Amino acid sequence: MSVLRIRRPGRLAAEAAALLIAAAVAFPLYWMVLSALKPAGEIQSTDPRPWTLSPSLDSFRRVLEQHDFGRYFLNSLIVAGTVVVASALVAFLAATAVTRFRFRFRTTLLIMFLIAQMVPVEALTIPLFFLMRDFGQLNTLGSLILPHLAFSLPFAIWMLRGFVKAVPDALEEAAYIDGASRTRFLWQILFPLVLPGLVATSVFSFISTWNDFLFAKSFLISDTSQSTLPMALLVFFKPDENDWGGIMAASTVMTVPVLVFFVLVQRRLVSGLGGAVKD
């Protein structure tokens, strides 16, 4: 009982701290949705209030009626979906190769993956611009897919390496004894075991790609039909007066797919962040 009395205040303090942190993180989201629901008069008021007594959907209506907004949404889905699937597939194969096989420069390759994560994206934007121009990829969705794929792979490979390494070698040997080929072991045994890690890396890849503005602004110069949702926010920034209701409503619409994706994979995400496969 004395141990329980000692631990209980500490646990209550930890739970209170967690609630405060969660409230601090959730408050900007609450204010974003609240601003999207406020009438124009309340948004421009000099006395902002954390509530509204007359919610309105006019801001969402302006966003959804915006020209080509559906195309921007589809472009974002194509870019983010392609990056998630391609990075998961390539990272799984690469992590398996650097973990299960011995070859020259394997350690050097892993160090290069680690160094690649340390390079800031802003420092590579201009070189990537000239690279995309030389490849003829400017004003195409490929100019967004390729850079995001390259930036998401090092993190994904490093994270999946731990999951692949945690799969016992005895399991692989047993599969070969039972007559399984290397390909069958790879996709029917190893892949399901490291799937939580793939989900965890996919969440980070999806969020970073979905919210990208820097590459979209830099590589999509003239063809607005290839724009993504972050670029659609620029429509509501006007020289005379910004449409803050439209900006907040568009930001809310952008957030919904991320929340849906997170809810769909949350169970496997917790497993992926909690640890790898145990022997």
Side-chain angles (χ1 to χ4, degrees):
M1 293 295 294
S2 61
V3 176
L4 293 176
R5 291 193 188 98
I6 294 174
R7 290 182 176 179
R8 187 171 180 78
R11 182 176 180 180
L12 290 176
E15 291 178 352
L19 288 176
L20 290 176
I21 294 174
V25 172
F27 182 77
L29 296 177
Y30 166 75
W31 195 264
M32 177 183 67
V33 177
L34 176 66
S35 300
L37 293 174
K38 282 184 176 182
E42 292 188 20
I43 296 178
Q44 300 173 359
S45 175
T46 57
D47 185 21
R49 295 177 297 179
W51 67 82
T52 179
L53 299 178
S54 54
S56 174
L57 296 177
D58 290 339
S59 298
F60 289 97
R61 189 176 298 108
R62 290 198 304 274
V63 169
L64 297 179
E65 292 177 353
Q66 182 64 36
H67 180 63
D68 286 340
F69 186 84
R71 179 185 293 273
Y72 297 157
F73 189 88
L74 180 60
N75 290 340
S76 293
L77 282 180
I78 293 174
V79 173
T82 303
V83 170
V84 167
V85 174
S87 62
L89 178 62
V90 175
F92 170 66
L93 297 176
T96 303
V98 298
T99 304
R100 295 287 177 174
F101 300 101
R102 303 288 183 223
F103 52 89
R104 294 183 62 185
F105 305 113
R106 184 173 71 96
T107 304
T108 304
L109 185 63
L110 290 173
I111 294 175
M112 290 177 61
F113 288 152
L114 185 61
I115 294 176
Q117 292 182 268
M118 302 178 182
V119 181
V121 177
E122 294 78 8
L124 297 177
T125 302
I126 295 178
L128 285 173
F129 173 83
F130 290 111
L131 185 64
M132 293 300 155
R133 185 195 62 180
D134 295 339
F135 286 165
Q137 292 296 315
L138 291 180
N139 294 315
T140 65
L141 296 182
S143 63
L144 304 181
I145 294 174
L146 293 177
H148 281 293
L149 182 61
F151 279 105
S152 62
L153 280 177
F155 170 78
I157 293 173
W158 264 101
M159 188 168 184
L160 290 178
R161 179 173 172 266
F163 283 84
V164 176
K165 189 176 182 179
V167 176
D169 294 335
L171 184 62
E172 183 176 0
E173 295 173 359
Y176 293 154
I177 293 175
D178 291 340
S181 62
R182 189 179 296 276
T183 302
R184 185 175 181 182
F185 169 77
L186 184 68
W187 295 108
Q188 295 187 7
I189 300 176
L190 185 61
F191 183 81
L193 291 176
V194 302
L195 186 58
L198 283 170
V199 171
T201 57
S202 297
V203 169
F204 292 108
S205 299
F206 182 85
I207 293 176
S208 62
T209 305
W210 183 266
N211 296 329
D212 170 66
F213 178 80
L214 179 61
F215 288 159
K217 181 65 175 177
S218 302
F219 302 153
L220 302 178
I221 304 174
S222 57
D223 191 358
T224 57
S225 64
Q226 303 298 314
S227 297
T228 53
L229 275 182
M231 293 290 292
L233 292 177
L234 296 178
V235 176
F236 301 98
F237 286 92
K238 301 177 181 179
D240 50 351
E241 185 178 359
N242 296 327
D243 184 2
W244 291 111
I247 294 172
M248 294 297 104
S251 301
T252 303
V253 173
M254 284 181 55
T255 307
V256 171
V258 178
L259 294 178
V260 172
F261 183 75
F262 180 81
V263 170
L264 292 177
V265 302
Q266 61 175 336
R267 292 186 178 181
R268 293 191 179 274
L269 176 63
V270 173
S271 302
L273 296 178
V277 181
K278 295 183 179 180
D279 194 352

Coordinates of all heavy atoms in Angstrom, one line a residue, residues 89-107 109-110 113 157 160-161 164-165 182 186 190:
L89 N 7.8 -0.1 -50.6 CA 8.3 -1.2 -51.3 C 9.8 -1.2 -51.4 O 10.5 -2.1 -51.1 CB 7.6 -1.2 -52.7 CG 8.1 -2.3 -53.6 CD1 7.8 -3.7 -53.1 CD2 7.5 -2.2 -55.0
V90 N 10.3 0.0 -51.8 CA 11.8 0.1 -52.0 C 12.5 0.0 -50.6 O 13.5 -0.7 -50.5 CB 12.1 1.4 -52.7 CG1 13.6 1.6 -52.8 CG2 11.5 1.4 -54.1
A91 N 11.9 0.6 -49.6 CA 12.6 0.6 -48.3 C 12.6 -0.8 -47.7 O 13.6 -1.3 -47.1 CB 11.9 1.5 -47.3
F92 N 11.5 -1.6 -47.9 CA 11.4 -3.0 -47.5 C 12.5 -3.8 -48.1 O 13.2 -4.6 -47.5 CB 10.1 -3.5 -47.7 CG 10.0 -5.0 -47.5 CD1 10.1 -5.5 -46.2 CD2 9.7 -5.9 -48.5 CE1 10.0 -6.9 -46.0 CE2 9.6 -7.3 -48.3 CZ 9.8 -7.8 -47.0
L93 N 12.6 -3.7 -49.4 CA 13.6 -4.5 -50.2 C 15.1 -4.1 -49.8 O 15.9 -4.9 -49.6 CB 13.4 -4.3 -51.7 CG 12.1 -4.9 -52.2 CD1 12.0 -4.6 -53.7 CD2 12.0 -6.4 -52.0
A94 N 15.3 -2.7 -49.7 CA 16.6 -2.2 -49.3 C 17.0 -2.6 -47.9 O 18.1 -3.0 -47.6 CB 16.6 -0.7 -49.5
A95 N 16.0 -2.5 -46.9 CA 16.3 -2.9 -45.6 C 16.6 -4.4 -45.5 O 17.5 -4.8 -44.7 CB 15.1 -2.5 -44.7
T96 N 15.9 -5.2 -46.2 CA 16.2 -6.6 -46.2 C 17.6 -6.9 -46.8 O 18.3 -7.8 -46.3 CB 15.1 -7.4 -47.1 OG1 13.8 -7.1 -46.6 CG2 15.4 -8.9 -47.1
A97 N 18.0 -6.2 -47.8 CA 19.3 -6.4 -48.5 C 20.4 -6.0 -47.5 O 21.4 -6.8 -47.4 CB 19.4 -5.6 -49.8
V98 N 20.3 -4.9 -46.9 CA 21.4 -4.4 -46.0 C 21.5 -5.2 -44.7 O 22.5 -5.1 -44.0 CB 21.3 -2.9 -45.8 CG1 21.4 -2.1 -47.1 CG2 20.1 -2.6 -45.0
T99 N 20.4 -5.9 -44.4 CA 20.4 -6.6 -43.1 C 20.7 -8.1 -43.3 O 21.4 -8.7 -42.5 CB 19.0 -6.5 -42.5 OG1 18.6 -5.1 -42.3 CG2 18.9 -7.2 -41.1
R100 N 20.2 -8.7 -44.3 CA 20.3 -10.2 -44.5 C 21.5 -10.6 -45.4 O 21.9 -11.7 -45.4 CB 19.0 -10.7 -45.2 CG 17.8 -10.6 -44.3 CD 17.8 -11.5 -43.1 NE 16.7 -11.4 -42.3 CZ 16.4 -12.2 -41.2 NH1 17.2 -13.2 -41.0 NH2 15.3 -12.0 -40.5
F101 N 22.1 -9.6 -46.1 CA 23.1 -10.0 -47.0 C 24.4 -9.2 -46.6 O 24.4 -8.1 -46.1 CB 22.8 -9.6 -48.5 CG 21.6 -10.4 -49.0 CD1 20.3 -9.8 -49.0 CD2 21.7 -11.7 -49.4 CE1 19.2 -10.4 -49.5 CE2 20.5 -12.4 -49.8 CZ 19.3 -11.8 -49.9
R102 N 25.5 -9.8 -46.9 CA 26.9 -9.2 -46.7 C 27.5 -8.9 -48.0 O 27.6 -9.8 -48.9 CB 27.8 -10.2 -45.9 CG 27.2 -10.7 -44.6 CD 27.2 -9.6 -43.6 NE 26.8 -10.1 -42.3 CZ 26.0 -9.4 -41.5 NH1 25.5 -8.3 -41.9 NH2 25.6 -10.0 -40.4
F103 N 27.8 -7.6 -48.2 CA 28.4 -7.2 -49.5 C 29.3 -6.0 -49.2 O 29.3 -5.4 -48.1 CB 27.4 -6.8 -50.5 CG 26.3 -5.9 -50.0 CD1 26.5 -4.5 -50.2 CD2 25.2 -6.3 -49.4 CE1 25.6 -3.6 -49.7 CE2 24.2 -5.4 -49.0 CZ 24.4 -4.0 -49.1
R104 N 30.2 -5.7 -50.1 CA 31.1 -4.6 -50.0 C 30.4 -3.3 -49.9 O 29.4 -3.1 -50.5 CB 32.1 -4.6 -51.1 CG 33.1 -5.8 -51.2 CD 34.0 -5.6 -52.3 NE 34.9 -4.5 -52.1 CZ 35.8 -4.0 -53.0 NH1 35.9 -4.7 -54.2 NH2 36.5 -3.0 -52.8
F105 N 31.0 -2.4 -49.1 CA 30.5 -1.0 -48.9 C 29.1 -1.0 -48.2 O 28.3 0.0 -48.4 CB 30.4 -0.3 -50.2 CG 31.7 -0.2 -50.9 CD1 31.9 -0.9 -52.1 CD2 32.8 0.4 -50.4 CE1 33.1 -0.9 -52.8 CE2 34.0 0.5 -51.1 CZ 34.2 -0.2 -52.3
R106 N 28.7 -2.1 -47.6 CA 27.4 -2.1 -46.9 C 27.3 -1.1 -45.8 O 26.4 -0.3 -45.7 CB 27.1 -3.5 -46.3 CG 25.7 -3.7 -45.7 CD 25.5 -5.1 -45.3 NE 26.3 -5.5 -44.2 CZ 25.9 -5.5 -42.9 NH1 24.6 -5.1 -42.7 NH2 26.7 -5.8 -42.0
T107 N 28.4 -1.0 -45.0 CA 28.4 0.0 -43.9 C 28.5 1.4 -44.5 O 27.8 2.3 -43.9 CB 29.7 -0.3 -43.0 OG1 29.6 -1.6 -42.5 CG2 29.7 0.7 -41.8
L109 N 27.2 2.4 -47.2 CA 25.9 2.7 -47.7 C 24.9 3.1 -46.6 O 24.2 4.1 -46.7 CB 25.3 1.5 -48.4 CG 23.9 1.7 -49.2 CD1 24.1 2.7 -50.3 CD2 23.5 0.3 -49.7
L110 N 25.0 2.4 -45.4 CA 24.2 2.8 -44.3 C 24.6 4.2 -43.8 O 23.7 5.0 -43.4 CB 24.3 1.7 -43.2 CG 23.7 0.4 -43.5 CD1 24.1 -0.6 -42.4 CD2 22.2 0.5 -43.7
F113 N 23.0 6.8 -45.9 CA 21.6 6.9 -45.6 C 21.4 7.9 -44.4 O 20.6 8.7 -44.4 CB 21.0 5.6 -45.3 CG 20.8 4.7 -46.5 CD1 20.7 3.3 -46.4 CD2 20.6 5.3 -47.8 CE1 20.6 2.5 -47.5 CE2 20.4 4.5 -48.9 CZ 20.4 3.1 -48.8
I157 N 14.4 3.2 -44.5 CA 15.3 2.1 -44.6 C 15.9 1.9 -43.2 O 16.0 0.8 -42.7 CB 16.4 2.3 -45.6 CG1 15.8 2.3 -47.0 CG2 17.5 1.3 -45.5 CD1 16.7 2.7 -48.1
L160 N 13.1 0.4 -40.9 CA 12.8 -1.0 -41.2 C 13.9 -2.0 -41.0 O 13.7 -3.2 -40.8 CB 12.3 -1.1 -42.7 CG 11.0 -0.4 -43.0 CD1 10.7 -0.5 -44.5 CD2 9.9 -1.1 -42.2
R161 N 15.2 -1.5 -41.0 CA 16.3 -2.3 -40.8 C 16.2 -3.0 -39.4 O 16.6 -4.2 -39.3 CB 17.6 -1.5 -40.9 CG 18.9 -2.2 -40.6 CD 20.1 -1.4 -40.9 NE 21.3 -2.0 -40.5 CZ 21.9 -1.8 -39.4 NH1 21.4 -1.0 -38.5 NH2 23.0 -2.5 -39.0
V164 N 13.6 -5.8 -39.7 CA 14.1 -7.0 -40.4 C 15.1 -7.8 -39.6 O 15.1 -9.0 -39.5 CB 14.6 -6.6 -41.8 CG1 15.3 -7.8 -42.5 CG2 13.6 -5.9 -42.6
K165 N 16.0 -7.0 -38.9 CA 17.0 -7.6 -38.1 C 16.4 -8.4 -36.9 O 17.0 -9.4 -36.4 CB 18.0 -6.5 -37.6 CG 19.2 -7.1 -36.9 CD 20.2 -6.0 -36.6 CE 21.5 -6.5 -36.0 NZ 22.4 -5.4 -35.6
R182 N 13.3 -18.2 -51.5 CA 13.6 -16.9 -50.9 C 12.5 -15.9 -51.2 O 12.2 -15.1 -50.3 CB 15.0 -16.4 -51.5 CG 15.5 -15.2 -50.8 CD 16.8 -14.8 -51.3 NE 17.8 -15.8 -51.1 CZ 18.6 -15.9 -50.0 NH1 18.3 -15.1 -49.0 NH2 19.5 -16.8 -49.9
L186 N 10.3 -14.0 -48.4 CA 10.3 -12.5 -48.4 C 8.9 -11.9 -48.2 O 8.7 -11.0 -47.4 CB 11.0 -12.0 -49.6 CG 11.3 -10.5 -49.7 CD1 12.3 -10.0 -48.6 CD2 11.8 -10.1 -51.1
L190 N 8.3 -12.7 -44.1 CA 9.0 -11.5 -43.6 C 8.2 -10.3 -43.7 O 8.1 -9.4 -42.8 CB 10.3 -11.3 -44.4 CG 11.3 -10.2 -43.9 CD1 11.7 -10.4 -42.4 CD2 12.5 -10.1 -44.8

